[in-house]
Every structure is written in C-alpha cells, then in structure tokens.
Amino acid sequence: MKRIWKRIAVAVSAVVAVVGAFVGSGAAGGTPIQDAAGGALSASSTAIAPDGPAFSIWSVVYVGLIAYAIRQLFRTSDDDRHAKLAVPAILSLLLNAAWILSVQFGFLWASEPIIVALLAVLVWTFTILRRTKPSGVVEAIVTDGTFGLYLGWVCVATAAGFRGFDLGQDVWGVLVAAVAGLVGLLLAVWGRGRLAPMLSLAWGLAWVAVARLDGPLVSTPTAVAAVVAAAAVVVVTVAVRARAGWSGARGLAARTA
C-alpha cells in the first residue's frame, strides 16, 4: 500500500511540474521563462547563458517525465528500483515547478538555491539509476534516458545562473564552461558512458557557444571553450561506453570459453 501511494505521489508531482512548465512557457499568457524577470535567463543575461533554442530540450524532458510517471503508476510489479526512485523523483518534479514559478514571479534570490537543490536531487537520482539495472529497453529509455537528459541540462542551467565574482566576461565564461565540461567528464566516467547526460550537456554547451558568437555578450574565448568542453564530453563518453562494452564482451567470452 505504501508503494502505491508513492506511485500516486509521483504522478501528482508530474502534473504539478507540467502545469508549472505550461505557465513558464508563456502558453498561459505569461512571459516565456527565458524572458521572465527582466530577461534574467536570456542569452544576454550571463557570460555562460545558452541561446534561446537551447530551452526547447525542456519539451523532450517533460515528455519523458510524463511517460515515466505513467509507466511507474501502472507497472505490475513493486520493484525496489522504482521504490528507491520515488522520493528523489517527486522532489525533482516539485523543485522544477518551484524554480519556474520563482523566476516567473521575479524571486531570483530564491531561484538560485532551488536549482542547486534540484541538481543535488538529480545527482541522487542518477546514483540510484547507476546502481540498479533497468528491466529492459523501454525502461532504459523512459527512466534512465529521461533523468539523464534532465541531469545534463540542469548542470548547464545551474552554471548559466552564476554571474561571476568581479571577473571579466571572457575569464568567467571560459572558467564556467571548463567546469561544466569537467562535470560532464565526471558523469561520463561515473555513469560508465551513459549517453543521455552527455547529449543534453553537450547540447547546452553548444548553444552557449552560439550565444557568445552573436548578440550583446559576444565572447570568442567563451564560445571556443564551450565547443571544446562539449566535444570533450562527447568523446570521453563514447570512449568510456565503448570500453565498457568491450570489457563486457571479453568477460562474457571468458565465461563461455
């Protein structure tokens, strides 16, 4: 019975997150999230802010979260994997809505600690996914894929919110792009080459580069650093994944020889 309530809570939290996204997108007549609070999240807000089209990845993430919520609600077995995921999933969905609404209502002072908390919760979620195995391909795509994309993108969104500490735009932009790239490399190694975090993180960094090559905050050093960081994350993730696959194949061959 307890796990049933967890499933329901996840589904309700997903609805809350989707409603928050609906409001945040401007579809309800408000201001799109990247233009809210005086453009605090726009491409011209900070040295590491991505260009507008980067935010379209939220649509993919939300579709995945809805699919995850529905699938876990109607699953036929009470496996420990989903039971462990329930609490961090609920927290991530509620924090997501809280972050969007805090920006929409101009509470930027609250949005920054909220997105840091969201990032921490997603790292928690990623830890659970890393330690447990999906039941099949659908599970891997809907659950692991969705939360992987979610984590990678929130890494970029968190980095984009920092405005520097009296450092020049070029210095700060290069520094944050390098840190974001380093986080991507750590996720690649720690996650054994999982593709979803790499895709969203590289996507965000690529759009950071686009934003720094045009507009009010042009910074060629930041653009180059973002491209290098994105490329490094892709290459290392693919290499780690290939190595893991090769090691697994060798192990299987050894056991069956």
Side-chain angles (χ1 to χ4, degrees):
M1 181 63 69
K2 182 178 180 181
R3 290 188 175 183
I4 292 176
W5 284 111
K6 280 186 177 182
R7 297 185 194 183
I8 295 173
V10 170
V12 171
S13 300
V15 172
V16 172
V18 170
V19 170
F22 184 75
V23 173
S25 68
T31 305
I33 188 69
Q34 61 266 34
D35 299 323
L41 300 180
S42 67
S44 60
S45 60
T46 69
I48 202 69
D51 205 7
F55 290 88
S56 63
I57 197 174
W58 275 123
S59 300
V60 180
V61 172
Y62 283 124
V63 168
L65 289 172
I66 293 170
Y68 161 74
I70 294 174
R71 192 169 189 276
Q72 64 85 39
L73 182 63
F74 293 104
R75 73 181 190 274
T76 57
S77 61
D78 284 330
D79 60 280
D80 288 337
R81 187 177 210 241
H82 283 281
K84 292 177 180 177
L85 279 174
V87 172
I90 291 168
L91 290 174
S92 74
L93 291 163
L94 296 180
L95 284 168
N96 188 305
W99 176 67
I100 290 175
L101 294 176
S102 66
V103 175
Q104 280 289 346
F105 288 106
F107 299 135
L108 292 179
W109 58 270
S111 68
E112 293 178 359
I114 288 174
I115 199 167
V116 171
L118 174 57
L119 178 60
V121 168
L122 289 174
V123 171
W124 176 14
T125 305
F126 190 74
T127 301
I128 295 172
L129 294 175
R130 178 182 173 275
R131 292 176 177 175
T132 57
K133 292 184 178 181
S135 59
V137 175
V138 175
E139 167 76 6
I141 294 173
V142 172
T143 304
D144 298 65
T146 295
F147 282 102
L149 286 175
Y150 198 2
L151 173 60
W153 173 244
V154 171
C155 285
V156 175
T158 303
F162 289 97
R163 301 177 181 276
F165 301 96
D166 296 325
L167 297 175
Q169 176 183 323
D170 291 345
V171 174
W172 181 246
V174 170
L175 178 61
V176 177
V179 170
L182 178 59
V183 170
L185 298 181
L186 292 174
L187 287 176
V189 175
W190 187 42
R192 303 187 188 97
R194 294 192 178 224
L195 298 178
M198 173 270 287
L199 290 173
S200 54
L201 207 154
W203 165 269
L205 286 171
W207 282 106
V208 168
V210 172
R212 298 291 75 79
L213 292 175
D214 190 21
L217 292 180
V218 171
S219 173
T220 301
T222 301
V224 172
V227 169
V228 171
V233 170
V234 171
V235 170
V236 171
T237 301
V238 172
V240 171
R241 188 176 185 85
R243 181 178 180 182
W246 174 248
S247 298
R250 290 183 61 187
L252 178 61
R255 288 193 298 269
T256 58

